[in-house]
């Protein structure tokens, strides 16, 4: 695809003189080396092994739970991130607030903190005996005994998803805030004159106006969750007993064991899932590129 | 009308209440991190846990800077980050300029092609990239890690730079060319200075991405020669059999530069990140 683009690019219609393709070349070559070659290698290796890795992967007893964990983790993280992100953006938009810049800066902190730090801090906060969350819940009387957030297989996935939501919700707030400022004031006024309440305005004016942003946020959060490694690895390493193992963790474990065949198999599955999202992403971005140029 | 007058104070209280909830949710773990980092050892493992230290101490920070691998790891992080920022800017300015200023067949596929780098899972490229870096004899070096990090920064920053350049009227460059300058002069003396602040922000963004990155760093660096701060932070646990005070102090050290950089450059980050994706 890229070589064809390069050939037609130099002979095709140009707005001004110059060598756009020569300027693009360094970044293109880099993308080829860092992305295309690895992806190509993955596909070639999976085929060259005669699908042995895939057979082993899908015959493994833990593949069902891993796929299920990946799905639950992704859906949970996306829904949580969207809900909290929208809530934050709408509140920050309110005219009743003062010092909006300060609040906006503060709620961004979880997003700018390094992922490893976020995971480490939460590991401490969620600690069964010394964690402040359990202590607070005990003090308030919501629980009778400490919750084993990261060591109870039944709730560990919820606990790690909470961390992912904590990290990603500010991104949604940022995107939605930017989109909200683009809605002309007159539209709200017109709606209010027609007697619309807050809920009606939200449903019939705000949400339709920022539909593209919503789409991009959902896609981005889903991609991040599907490919997320650091938070789960640092807090639980996929445990206890695989209860928080998702595909990227499975791949990393295979990598550590030097099981290259299995690494390529998992990478291939991730690639297929990723391709679906890539197509959706490209569709959303394409309209964007057309409108901008 | 009466209904409105009544609704108003409730709306005000409601808004502030939700804001308070969101602030607690966002900041509580950060507050815990900061306070824990100032607690002496016996208070850290005190039950019931309390938020504030009774005795404030700098001991944990002293441990981080004198009795751990963290200073070396921080230095490695800075070196890798600077390499990544410099390389990213060179690659992305030229690509971003081409995408913003030329209309050519293949522009859209190429833009999408680079952009899609954002969607490729890092774990998918992990093993092949590891082998590439290994075959270049660059494993466990800062240069090798910086090279791998370009996979993360180039797609994003190309887009940021493209948008910045597209926002500068092309007339300015043309005016310089009419006055007898070459296109190269026009870019050097007109375009570059105008988007310099944006480029600094983009470079900073690349630096921060590298500063954050954990997966590649943990796989491609193994010794203190190239190990970066995020990896060193996770190894803290083993090194000191989970010295939580020192771990939290190191977490603070890793976070503070980011918060300062973010406050200083907030304007550019917000514009750069949302510019590619959001329209009003």
């Amino acid at each position: 695809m890229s070589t064809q683009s390069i050939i037609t690019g130099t002979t095709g219609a140009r707005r001004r003189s110059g060598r756009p393709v020569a300027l693009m070349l360094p970044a293109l070559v880099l993308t080829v080396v860092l992305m295309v070659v690895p992806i190509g290698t993955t596909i070639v290796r999976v085929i060259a092994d005669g699908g042995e890795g895939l057979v082993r992967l899908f015959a493994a007893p833990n593949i069902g739970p891993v796929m299920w964990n990946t799905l639950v983790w992704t859906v949970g993280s996306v829904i949580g991130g969207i809900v909290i992100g929208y809530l934050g953006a709408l509140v920050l938009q309110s005219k009743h607030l003062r010092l909006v810049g300060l609040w906006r800066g503060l709620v961004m902190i979880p997003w700018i903190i390094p992922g490893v730090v976020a995971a480490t801090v939460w590991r401490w906060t969620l600690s069964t005996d010394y964690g402040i969350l359990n202590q607070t819940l005990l003090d308030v009387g919501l629980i009778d005994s400490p919750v084993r957030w990261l060591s109870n297989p039944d709730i560990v996935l919820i606990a790690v998803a909470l961390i992912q939501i904590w990290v990603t919700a500010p991104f949604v707030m940022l995107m939605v805030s930017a989109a909200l400022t683009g809605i002309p004031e007159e539209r709200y006024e017109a709606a209010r004159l027609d007697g619309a309440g807050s809920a009606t305005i939200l449903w019939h004016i705000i949400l339709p106006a920022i539909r593209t942003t919503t789409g991009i946020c959902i896609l981005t959060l889903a991609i991040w969750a599907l490919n997320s490694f650091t938070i789960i690895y640092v807090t639980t390493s996929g445990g206890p007993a695989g209860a928080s193992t998702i595909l990227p963790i499975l791949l990393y474990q295979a990598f550590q064991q030097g099981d290259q065949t299995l690494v390529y198999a998992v990478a291939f599955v991730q690639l297929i899932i990723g391709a679906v999202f890539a197509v959706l992403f490209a569709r959303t971005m394409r309209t964007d590129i057309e409108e901008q140029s | 009308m009466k209904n409105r007058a009544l609704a108003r104070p409730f709306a005000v209280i409601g808004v502030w209440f939700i804001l308070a909830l969101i602030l607690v949710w966002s900041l509580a773990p950060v507050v815990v991190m900061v306070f824990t980092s100032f607690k002496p050892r016996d208070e850290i493992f005190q039950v019931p846990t309390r938020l504030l230290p009774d005795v404030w101490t700098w001991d944990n920070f002293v441990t981080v800077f004198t009795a751990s691998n963290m200073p070396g790891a921080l230095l490695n992080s800075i070196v890798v980050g600077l390499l990544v920022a410099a390389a990213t800017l060179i690659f992305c300015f030229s690509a971003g300029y081409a995408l913003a200023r030329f209309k050519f067949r293949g522009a859209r596929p190429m833009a999408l092609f680079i952009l899609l780098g954002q969607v490729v899972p890092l774990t998918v490229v992990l093993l092949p990239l590891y082998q590439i870096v290994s075959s270049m004899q660059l494993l466990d070096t800062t240069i090798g890690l910086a090279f791998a990090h370009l996979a993360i920064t180039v797609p994003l920053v190309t887009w940021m730079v493209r948008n910045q350049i597209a926002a500068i009227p092309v007339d300015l460059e043309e005016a310089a060319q009419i006055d007898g300058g070459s296109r190269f002069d026009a870019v050097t003396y007109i375009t570059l200075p105008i988007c310099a602040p944006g480029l600094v922000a983009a470079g900073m963004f690349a630096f921060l991405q590298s500063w954050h990155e954990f997966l590649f760093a943990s796989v491609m660096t193994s010794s203190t020669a190239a190990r970066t701060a995020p990896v060193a932070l996770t190894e803290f646990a083993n090194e000191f059999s989970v010295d939580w005070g020192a771990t939290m102090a190191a977490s603070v050290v890793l976070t503070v530069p980011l918060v300062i950089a973010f406050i200083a450059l907030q304007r550019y980050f917000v514009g750069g990140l949302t510019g590619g994706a959001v329209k009003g």
Side-chain angles (χ1 to χ4, degrees), chain A residues 9 13-14 16 23 26 28 35 111-112 114 121 124 130 135 166 216 227 255 260 264 270 288 290-292, chain B residues 25-26 29 36 48-49 91 94 101 103 105 108 110 121 123 131 151 162-163 212 219 258 273 275-277 279:
Chain A
R14 276 171 285 163
R16 270 174 300 281
L23 286 170
L28 284 174
M35 293 289 167
W111 192 46
I112 55 180
V121 168
W124 175 237
Y130 310 111
Q135 191 58 50
W166 186 74
I216 289 168
N227 304 326
F255 183 93
Q260 294 203 2
Y264 283 119
Q270 277 199 266
D288 200 44
E290 273 162 4
E291 280 168 36
Q292 288 200 1
Chain B
W25 154 257
S26 306
T36 309
T49 311
F91 285 117
S94 89
R101 283 286 189 258
K103 203 166 205 149
R105 280 177 63 190
R108 210 174 67 184
M110 279 191 225
T123 42
Q131 285 165 341
R162 180 214 170 266
N163 288 334
H212 278 223
V219 163
L258 287 187
L273 286 170
K279 34 197 202 315

Side-chain angles (χ1 to χ4, degrees), chain B:
Chain B
M1 279 315 279
K2 193 182 169 194
N3 205 357
R4 264 246 168 118
L6 244 174
R8 199 123 189 232
F10 280 117
V12 175
I13 293 167
V15 163
W16 281 97
F17 180 71
I18 296 171
L19 178 72
L21 283 183
I22 289 176
L23 283 175
V24 169
W25 154 257
S26 306
L27 297 179
V30 182
V31 171
V32 169
M33 167 179 84
V34 173
F35 285 145
T36 309
S37 72
F38 286 107
K39 279 183 182 176
R41 195 181 163 73
D42 54 328
E43 270 190 55
I44 287 173
F45 294 106
Q46 190 183 48
V47 179
T49 311
R50 260 173 299 169
L51 183 62
L52 283 167
D54 286 334
V55 183
W56 293 70
T57 171
W58 286 99
D59 285 357
N60 297 317
F61 291 90
V62 173
T63 307
V64 168
F65 281 107
T66 60
S68 80
N69 292 323
M70 201 39 107
L74 286 167
L75 189 65
N76 287 336
S77 274
I78 293 169
V79 170
V80 175
L82 289 177
L83 286 170
V84 171
T88 305
L89 282 184
I90 293 169
F91 285 117
C92 295
F93 182 76
S94 89
Y97 185 84
L99 286 174
R101 283 286 189 258
F102 295 95
K103 203 166 205 149
F104 53 103
R105 280 177 63 190
R108 210 174 67 184
M110 279 191 225
L112 278 173
F113 178 67
I114 292 179
L115 206 62
L116 284 179
Q118 281 182 69
V119 196
V120 177
L122 286 188
T123 42
V124 167
V125 297
L126 179 70
L127 178 55
L129 213 49
Y130 176 87
Q131 285 165 341
I132 291 172
V133 173
S134 170
S135 67
M136 295 192 295
Q137 306 286 318
L138 287 176
L139 274 186
D140 206 20
T141 65
T142 45
I143 295 176
L145 181 58
F147 175 73
H149 280 176
L150 290 180
I152 303 165
T153 57
V154 164
L156 280 164
V157 174
T158 301
W159 203 241
M160 283 173 82
V161 172
R162 180 214 170 266
N163 288 334
Q164 284 164 8
I165 294 172
I168 302 170
V170 73
D171 305 3
L172 290 176
E173 275 177 38
E174 279 165 357
Q177 282 173 282
I178 289 167
D179 290 348
S182 67
R183 175 153 203 150
F184 186 76
D185 291 335
V187 173
T188 314
Y189 296 111
I190 309 285
T191 316
L192 260 180
I194 294 175
C195 64
L199 289 179
V200 171
M204 201 74 190
F205 180 74
F207 182 94
L208 296 182
Q209 289 293 319
S210 162
W211 183 267
H212 278 223
E213 204 283 324
F214 176 68
L215 177 66
F216 287 169
S218 76
V219 163
M220 294 187 193
T221 67
S222 46
S223 74
T224 47
R227 187 193 291 147
T228 55
V231 184
L233 183 67
T234 60
E235 283 171 1
F236 238 82
N238 313 324
E239 207 179 323
F240 295 88
S241 62
V242 197
D243 180 346
W244 278 108
T247 306
M248 289 298 124
S251 299
V252 171
V253 171
L254 250 98
T255 305
V256 166
L258 287 187
V259 174
I260 293 172
F262 185 80
I263 292 168
L265 297 168
Q266 198 179 14
R267 201 153 59 92
Y268 298 108
F269 281 137
V270 174
L273 286 170
T274 55
V278 177
K279 34 197 202 315

